[in-house]
Each structure stands twice: as C-alpha cells, then as structure tokens.
Amino acid sequence: MTIAFTFPGQGSQAVGMGKELADSFSEARDVFAEVDEALGEKLTSTMWDGPEDKLTLTANAQPALMAVSVAVVRVLEANGYALAEKAAYVAGHSLGEYSAHCAAGTFSLADTARLLRIRGNAMQAAVPVGEGAMAAIIGLEVDDVEFVCEAAAGETGGVCQIANDNGGGQLVISGAKAAVERAAALASDKGAKRALMLPVSAPFHSALMAPAADAMREALSNVTINVPSVAVVANVTVAPATEPAAIADRLVEQVTGQVRWRETIEWFAGNGVATLAEAGSGKVLTGLARRIDRSLAGVAINTPADIEAFLQTNA
C-alpha cells in the first residue's frame, strides 16, 4: 500500500500540542529542545502553557507546528519506520511544506526553525495591520471564485486572489481589505453557501506578500539545501521538487502564490498513493482529503496512542 505523508499548516495549532509526545518519547524531547535552542527562547513554554494568543502569532505558530510534525516523524523513525524507505511522497500545507522538507532531510531541524521564524515575521511585517484581509468562500467552483476576485480587484483597484484551494468546495481568498470584502459580497450574490471574513492578521499567499518573498529568498540562500530523501510535492506547482535550487524557488513562490491543496491530493491519488498520513497537530488535512477523494485512506498521527496504532498497522 503506497503511503504519502502530509504536514499541517497554520490554524492547526493548539495550546498543549506536542506535550504528550515529549512526555513519552526522548526523540520528541530532543526535537523540541533543538528548536528552542535554534530560536534562542523557550518556544515550548508557549506551546504547552500558552497563552493562546501568543502561540497564534505567526512567528510562533509556524515553527511550533513544524516542531510537532518533525517530532512525530522522529519517533516513528526511532521505532523502525523510516520515511525514506516507506513513504512515496511528502507534502505540507503552506508552512507545512517546510515541515515536509525537514522530515525529508532537505533542511536541518535548526535551520527549518529559524527559516520559519523569519518567514512568520516577514509575512506579518509585509502589510500594515488592517490593510489586508482573507475570506473563506464555501460552495463555489474555482472558476467562479476567480471571476469574483478579478471583478473585485477591478472595482476597487486592490489585490484579490485565491490563496488556498483546500478542496471540498472550500477556497480562501486574500488581498487588500476592500477588495476581499467586495469579492466576498460578490461571491454571496453568485450563490456561495458562505462567504466568511477570516480573523487573520495579514493577507497570506497574495501578491501583497512580495516583501516576505524577498526575505525568504535571502534566508534560503544562507542555508544548506540537501536533495530530499523523499520527493516533496510543492504547493505552487503540484509537482515534486527535488533539486536544491528548484526547492528554494518553490518556497519563495509559495509566499505570494496559491496553496493548491485540492490538486495535491488529486495528484497523490493519480500517482498510486492509497493512504495519507498526517503527521503533526490536529486532523485538518485528513478531513480535507476525505472530502476531496474518498478512495484515499487517511490517518492523523499526533499522540503516542496514534503512533502506536500506526506502527501496528504499518510496520
């Protein structure tokens, strides 16, 4: 049975995440200690004790989610489940693409933590608070959402584009606040089941993130990029990226580009994958995959019990 691993993105964080893993496995404790050391602070204190609003900050949530994902993988590998031998592909949702690369050995754990801290800070700083926005559009086809984004951008003169195609009729749009609000209204007029403004602090995955893309281009030029041990399917191209230069390009493009998650799951199904294992906090990606293609089996791995169950059936 061919398996691919997926790694969650922002929104899957929760106070307490990873604590059970740290309590149960030395390999997980080592991951969390190395991330703390790389960042020069006790990120684990925020992860395990909160407060929630501090964990939710982009600069904290991104390396924290990666740490939990990599902790899961390291524990699996310590128990004989080698990703390089067992997994056909890996992919991650937005910041989860960095988790996927770390799990596949593209970046060291310390470099991944520092890259995500830079990424989080750069994304937050790219657009002044209140000038950008994002909205979830439920129940419209991609073509219809593209149409309302273009119409809203034309009417308001502001950026508006699809940020995430999550599948199951769920798309997220991003851009200038007035343009996104107008697009949401147009989507409702066009028959969307819901058009909901999201409580986010910046217009992620839009052209307004160009300064953050520049910051990541510089940051990626200063780290070692290895050929991954497992092919990593990139968000923006829905194709494996294996060469170091291409990997850097895909991660830079991702900052302003679309997370094509629906197409990624469809690509897996079309390339022999039968099971998706979501490594890290929450079960968001497992739920999305179920809505995209019910022929794929899905399992979320984020607790010691999850790891034990997974190893029993996937030795």
Side-chain angles (χ1 to χ4, degrees):
M1 184 177 294
T2 304
I3 192 166
F5 273 70
T6 63
F7 298 87
Q10 206 161 334
S12 289
Q13 69 275 359
V15 173
M17 66 181 188
K19 185 66 166 64
E20 279 189 87
L21 295 173
D23 289 342
S24 300
F25 303 107
S26 62
E27 296 83 8
R29 291 193 293 275
D30 290 345
V31 167
F32 296 130
E34 187 172 343
V35 169
D36 281 349
E37 183 177 356
L39 297 179
E41 66 176 74
K42 281 278 190 181
L43 180 62
T44 47
S45 296
T46 302
M47 291 166 59
W48 297 338
D49 302 321
E52 186 178 358
D53 59 349
K54 185 177 179 183
L55 176 60
T56 303
L57 291 173
T58 301
N60 290 331
Q62 295 198 12
L65 284 161
M66 180 278 298
V68 177
S69 288
V70 174
V72 168
V73 171
R74 294 280 174 87
V75 172
L76 290 175
E77 293 186 328
N79 283 275
Y81 190 93
L83 215 67
E85 298 171 6
K86 302 282 192 177
Y89 308 102
V90 293
H93 192 286
S94 191
L95 83 89
E97 192 165 331
Y98 285 81
S99 307
H101 277 295
C102 185
T106 310
F107 303 119
S108 71
L109 176 58
D111 279 345
T112 310
R114 288 188 286 260
L115 284 169
L116 285 172
R117 173 56 58 82
I118 292 167
R119 185 178 185 268
N121 282 327
M123 291 172 77
Q124 191 61 65
V127 179
V129 174
E131 291 189 12
M134 300 180 77
I137 310 298
I138 311 297
L140 286 184
E141 297 297 325
V142 173
D143 289 349
D144 289 329
V145 176
E146 287 180 343
F147 175 84
V148 301
C149 284
E150 291 172 7
E155 288 182 27
T156 64
V159 169
C160 187
Q161 64 192 81
I162 295 175
N164 302 345
D165 179 357
N166 288 330
Q170 180 193 117
L171 293 112
V172 176
I173 62 175
S174 182
K177 188 170 186 287
V180 171
E181 289 175 339
R182 180 59 182 149
L186 290 171
S188 293
D189 293 343
K190 208 165 183 62
K193 293 177 182 176
R194 296 188 73 187
L196 178 69
M197 300 299 294
L198 297 177
V200 297
S201 53
F204 303 132
H205 298 291
S206 77
L208 297 178
M209 289 285 108
D214 292 338
M216 292 315 299
R217 183 178 292 105
E218 180 179 356
L220 287 159
S221 72
N222 292 318
V223 299
T224 298
I225 304 178
N226 303 306
V227 175
S229 61
V230 185
V232 182
V233 180
N235 285 181
V236 292
T237 59
V238 197
T242 55
E243 294 302 317
I247 288 167
D249 287 345
R250 298 300 85 78
L251 290 172
V252 170
E253 292 162 7
Q254 186 217 64
V255 178
T256 56
Q258 185 183 140
V259 177
R260 297 165 61 186
W261 197 250
R262 173 184 57 82
E263 294 172 83
T264 299
I265 301 304
E266 292 171 347
W267 189 93
F268 283 148
N271 282 272
V273 172
T275 301
L276 295 175
E278 178 179 4
S281 180
K283 301 179 180 181
V284 171
L285 300 183
T286 303
L288 290 178
R290 189 175 297 118
R291 292 202 293 269
I292 295 166
D293 189 335
R294 288 189 171 275
S295 72
L296 291 167
V299 57
I301 314 170
N302 55 50
T303 67
D306 294 337
I307 288 172
E308 182 180 356
F310 181 81
L311 289 171
Q312 285 179 350
T313 56
N314 296 274

